Amino acid sequence: QVQLVESGGGLVQAGGSLRLSCVASRRIFDFNYMGWYRQGPGKQRELVAGISSGGSTNYADSVKGRFTFSRDNAKNTVSLQMNSLKPEDTAVYYCNAKYSNGIRVDDYWGQGTQVTVSS
């Protein structure tokens, strides 16, 4: 069983910054994909940013140029640096890891961390 533990959420004013971190209980380079998702009030969960096992990153259009995804294999940690935060970034942010054995894909989720951006 894989555990993902997020930290770094909080309350910040618009224009401010936060850094989210996610520590995995196993080697992160074992995963096929790791990402950050978020779910705002009354909204569906959406992908914010992620990285494939090959190192390719992808970002939602709404966060491009403001958010940066990074990983530290030695610490089994992925992070999301969020700059120029906007009120619409307010959401619960979840760390996700996907592992495939070629037959099925297992999805693992963290417990979520609240990010609130005040105007």
Side-chain angles (χ1 to χ4, degrees):
Q1 186 68 14
V2 174
Q3 291 184 331
L4 303 173
V5 180
E6 302 113 331
S7 61
L11 173 64
V12 65
Q13 288 188 330
S17 298
L18 283 173
R19 185 178 180 86
L20 306 182
S21 293
C22 171
V23 180
S25 61
R26 66 179 291 177
R27 302 180 307 181
I28 60 173
F29 60 78
D30 285 344
F31 297 118
N32 300 88
Y33 186 85
M34 292 197 74
W36 286 96
Y37 289 73
R38 68 185 180 187
Q39 187 165 16
K43 298 181 180 179
Q44 290 188 329
R45 191 172 296 189
E46 62 175 355
L47 176 66
V48 177
I51 190 167
S52 69
S53 56
S56 298
T57 54
N58 61 294
Y59 295 90
D61 288 343
S62 59
V63 306
K64 284 181 180 177
R66 300 189 297 122
F67 290 12
T68 303
F69 187 105
S70 62
R71 69 182 178 185
D72 185 334
N73 290 338
K75 296 182 178 180
N76 292 330
T77 299
V78 295
S79 299
L80 186 68
Q81 177 66 42
M82 305 185 294
N83 299 329
S84 302
L85 283 161
K86 305 175 181 179
E88 50 264 44
D89 294 318
T90 295
V92 178
Y93 284 70
Y94 297 91
C95 180
N96 171 260
K98 300 185 188 301
Y99 175 76
S100 173
N101 61 3
I103 298 175
R104 72 178 195 190
V105 177
D106 291 325
D107 254 322
Y108 301 99
W109 294 93
Q111 80 284 359
T113 185
Q114 177 70 47
V115 171
T116 303
V117 184
S118 62
S119 57

